[in-house]
Amino acid sequence: MVALIAKAVSDDFVYAVCSLMDFWYLAQSCIIDEAECSKILSALKGFHDHKEAIIAAGGQCGKKNVIINNWHIPKIEFLQSVVPNIRLNRVAIQWSADTTEHAHIKVVKDPADAANNQRYKPQICCHLDQMDKLHQFDFATSIWEAGIKFCDLSEELEYKSDPDNKTTKLTVNTTSELLKLINSVTPMAGLTMGRLVNYFYRANLLKQGSINVPTPLRTHQSSKYVTFHLSCNPWLQENKHQ
């Protein structure tokens, strides 16, 4: 990108873009110490010191190519928190936004695309409400077709599993166990059929030493309701912020 704009815009414009690209590149390093943090801050400062050249050249545009004369952009403002976050939580590359981004697509972007570009919030809520009703209907239908009957807590759930219509009694304690019984009957709308991993159970096994795995451990339960699972082995070095 820098090579493409080098001869077409001012030096300050190029410096701002180059500084921002350096910031993105450095912030994604696998190993970051205090010296690297200083480089990241320096790159961010270089962008802020020269960003006005972008506005002066008309490079900051919004919808219909309308020139914007300010930098009131949340993502740009949040860049100041990158280095403090690295110092507190170590390298950013070990974290993933896939889950939240997927949720954002499902509950915001897809419903908005199905609307008519008017009154987004009410239409998104209406869309989600209708999808929830469809999921509940599919869920109830799947349970009925599987022959599962809900009983009092002191009793057992019944599941018809043989072709002779004989009833085999079993107890279902969790939602995941229930889904296993109905997955082969009627797939729920929007249900992901991938393998579910109970990281709470895995973290408990690791804590008890019941399984042998390479260290450092990548699954950790920090509280009763929160468990972390790193997608790759984190770098652990003394006197360095990662």
Side-chain angles (χ1 to χ4, degrees):
M1 180 177 180
V2 174
L4 293 175
I5 66 174
K7 298 297 182 179
V9 295
S10 65
D11 292 342
D12 287 341
F13 192 117
V14 175
Y15 193 98
V17 174
C18 186
S19 296
L20 194 58
M21 295 182 68
D22 287 343
F23 175 87
W24 291 333
Y25 178 78
L26 293 170
Q28 297 182 69
S29 300
C30 293
I31 301 178
I32 300 178
D33 56 14
E34 191 58 39
E36 289 295 314
C37 287
S38 298
K39 292 180 181 179
I40 296 173
L41 291 174
S42 178
L44 183 60
K45 184 178 183 301
F47 166 73
H48 286 303
D49 290 345
H50 298 83
K51 64 184 180 182
E52 293 303 323
I54 298 178
I55 292 180
Q60 173 72 335
C61 299
K63 294 182 178 180
K64 298 181 180 180
N65 291 325
V66 176
I67 297 177
I68 301 176
N69 294 319
N70 61 72
W71 285 98
H72 300 163
I73 303 175
K75 288 186 177 181
I76 296 294
E77 295 178 2
F78 286 156
L79 295 182
Q80 63 182 339
S81 65
V82 170
V83 170
N85 187 66
I86 290 175
R87 287 170 173 162
L88 290 174
N89 301 308
R90 303 187 178 182
V91 290
I93 197 66
Q94 67 177 317
W95 307 106
S96 173
D98 291 346
T99 302
T100 53
E101 178 63 23
H102 177 74
H104 181 68
I105 292 173
K106 288 296 183 181
V107 303
V108 177
K109 290 185 177 180
D110 287 349
D113 290 340
N116 60 355
N117 296 324
Q118 302 292 330
R119 302 175 67 243
Y120 285 104
K121 292 182 179 179
Q123 293 197 49
I124 288 175
C125 291
C126 182
H127 177 90
L128 294 176
D129 183 58
Q130 294 298 323
M131 291 302 298
D132 182 64
K133 290 179 180 179
L134 289 174
H135 292 170
Q136 295 294 339
F137 177 79
D138 288 342
F139 190 41
T141 303
S142 300
I143 293 174
W144 180 81
E145 290 183 355
I148 299 175
K149 297 181 180 179
F150 288 92
C151 308
D152 186 79
L153 293 177
S154 60
E155 301 177 5
E156 293 180 331
L157 293 179
E158 296 181 350
Y159 174 60
K160 297 179 181 179
S161 59
D162 55 40
D164 297 327
N165 290 329
K166 294 181 180 180
T167 300
T168 301
K169 292 186 177 181
L170 56 86
T171 301
V172 179
N173 296 315
T174 64
T175 302
S176 59
E177 292 177 358
L178 177 61
L179 292 177
K180 289 179 181 179
L181 298 178
I182 66 174
N183 278 344
S184 60
V185 182
T186 305
M188 294 172 58
L191 179 64
T192 301
M193 305 304 292
R195 183 174 64 91
L196 298 177
V197 179
N198 188 339
Y199 288 113
F200 290 92
Y201 177 70
R202 177 178 294 182
N204 186 49
L205 291 179
L206 292 172
K207 184 177 181 180
Q208 296 176 356
S210 302
I211 54 178
N212 295 322
V213 295
T215 56
L217 301 178
R218 295 189 293 131
T219 305
H220 170 70
Q221 184 171 357
S222 61
S223 67
K224 183 179 180 181
Y225 301 106
V226 178
T227 296
F228 293 96
H229 177 73
L230 304 181
S231 59
C232 60
N233 292 327
W235 293 85
L236 300 177
Q237 296 184 5
E238 295 182 358
N239 301 324
K240 286 191 176 183
H241 296 288
Q242 301 179 348

